[in-house]
């Protein structure tokens, strides 16, 4: 059984979707959720879903004996679901091509430091894009520059607000993210 550890910084809606998707799987399970935000709503979701969720500090994240030691014992794959910190190179090195992220735009557009959540959707709106979507990619040492695994698009209209754009993107995330994670695990 492949063990997935999810990193989340916020509400945890994608984390919950992934947890529920793998509950009946014979191939993978979400064994743990880690968060860098002690007040994140993901803790409430994990409690309700009976999945362990642990807070970690920046210091624990960067130290070799901190989060990395935990991951070496508990994870086969790492999934970033609304996680806002850059992954340290020592974690990327140990889990090469086993850290999967989702980005709320069609990379390489609207990627990089500071481009997350509503920042992305507002930029998409301001630039009058005719479509947007999601990018699922492997994580490397740079923000949003890892190899692209999958992209899905959704059309936009001039009337779409950033909030409506966010809703369209979330629908794509919920539909595709768990399935793409499963494909990656099954191919290995």
């Amino acid at each position: 059984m492949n063990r997935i550890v999810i990193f989340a910084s916020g509400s945890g809606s994608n984390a919950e979707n992934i947890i529920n998707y793998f509950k009946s799987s014979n191939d993978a399970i979400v064994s743990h959720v880690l968060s860098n935000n002690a007040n994140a709503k993901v803790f409430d979701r994990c409690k309700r879903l009976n999945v362990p969720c642990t807070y970690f500090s920046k210091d624990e994240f960067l130290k070799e004996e901190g989060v990395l030691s935990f991951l070496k014992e508990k994870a086969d794959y790492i999934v970033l679901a609304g996680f806002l910190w850059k992954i340290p190179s020592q974690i990327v090195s140990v889990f090469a091509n086993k850290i999967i992220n989702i980005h709320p735009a069609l990379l390489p557009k609207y990627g990089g430091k500071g481009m997350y959540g509503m920042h992305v959707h507002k930029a998409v709106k301001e630039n009058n894009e005719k479509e947007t979507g999601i990018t699922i990619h492997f994580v490397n040492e740079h923000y949003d520059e890892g190899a692209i695994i999958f992209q899905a698009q959704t059309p936009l209209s001039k009337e779409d607000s950033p909030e409506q754009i966010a809703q369209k993107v979330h629908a794509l995330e919920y539909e595709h993210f768990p399935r793409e994670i499963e494909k990656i695990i099954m191919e290995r």
Side-chain angles (χ1 to χ4, degrees):
M1 179 75 71
N2 289 284
R3 300 160 302 162
I4 300 167
V5 172
I6 296 175
F7 281 64
S9 296
S11 75
S13 60
N14 266 312
E16 180 171 355
N17 188 39
I18 294 163
I19 290 166
N20 285 332
Y21 185 89
F22 285 102
K23 269 192 175 170
S24 59
S25 173
N26 293 321
D27 301 306
I29 187 167
V30 175
S31 61
H32 214 99
V33 175
L34 296 175
S35 182
N36 60 329
N37 177 357
N39 300 313
K41 294 199 183 321
V42 72
F43 286 98
D44 297 331
R45 291 180 191 268
C46 287
K47 185 175 183 180
R48 182 171 38 80
L49 296 166
N50 230 7
V51 173
C53 189
T54 304
Y55 165 79
F56 64 90
S57 68
K58 186 86 163 188
D59 190 47
E60 292 169 307
F61 193 46
L62 299 175
K63 282 186 175 176
E64 181 87 23
E65 66 275 4
V67 172
L68 179 55
S69 291
F70 176 88
L71 292 169
K72 285 178 179 177
E73 289 182 28
K74 305 281 186 183
D76 298 303
Y77 291 88
I78 300 166
V79 172
L80 309 184
F83 184 70
L84 302 181
W85 288 354
K86 189 165 116 179
I87 303 299
S89 59
Q90 68 267 22
I91 294 176
V92 172
S93 175
V94 171
F95 287 90
N97 293 319
K98 290 190 172 188
I99 306 173
I100 306 159
N101 185 38
I102 190 162
H103 186 76
L106 297 170
L107 292 174
K109 287 183 170 184
Y110 307 107
K113 186 173 178 151
M115 292 305 286
Y116 61 90
M118 288 307 292
H119 298 287
V120 172
H121 307 311
K122 287 177 182 173
V124 166
K125 173 70 175 170
E126 288 168 7
N127 287 305
N128 297 311
E129 295 287 353
K130 296 191 181 344
E131 69 175 8
T132 191
I134 59 166
T135 302
I136 299 168
H137 65 94
F138 288 116
V139 172
N140 65 14
E141 292 84 7
H142 308 285
Y143 282 113
D144 302 323
E145 292 183 15
I148 292 174
I149 300 163
F150 175 85
Q151 290 184 310
Q153 298 83 22
T154 185
L156 299 177
S157 72
K158 289 181 182 180
E159 293 77 32
D160 285 337
S161 68
E163 292 76 18
Q164 290 168 315
I165 294 169
Q167 288 176 343
K168 290 180 176 188
V169 169
H170 285 308
L172 291 175
E173 291 173 348
Y174 300 153
E175 178 184 354
H176 295 287
F177 201 17
R179 285 200 324 237
E180 292 304 315
I181 295 166
E182 183 177 48
K183 282 183 192 173
I184 291 161
I185 291 170
M186 297 304 292
E187 289 172 0
R188 302 208 169 203

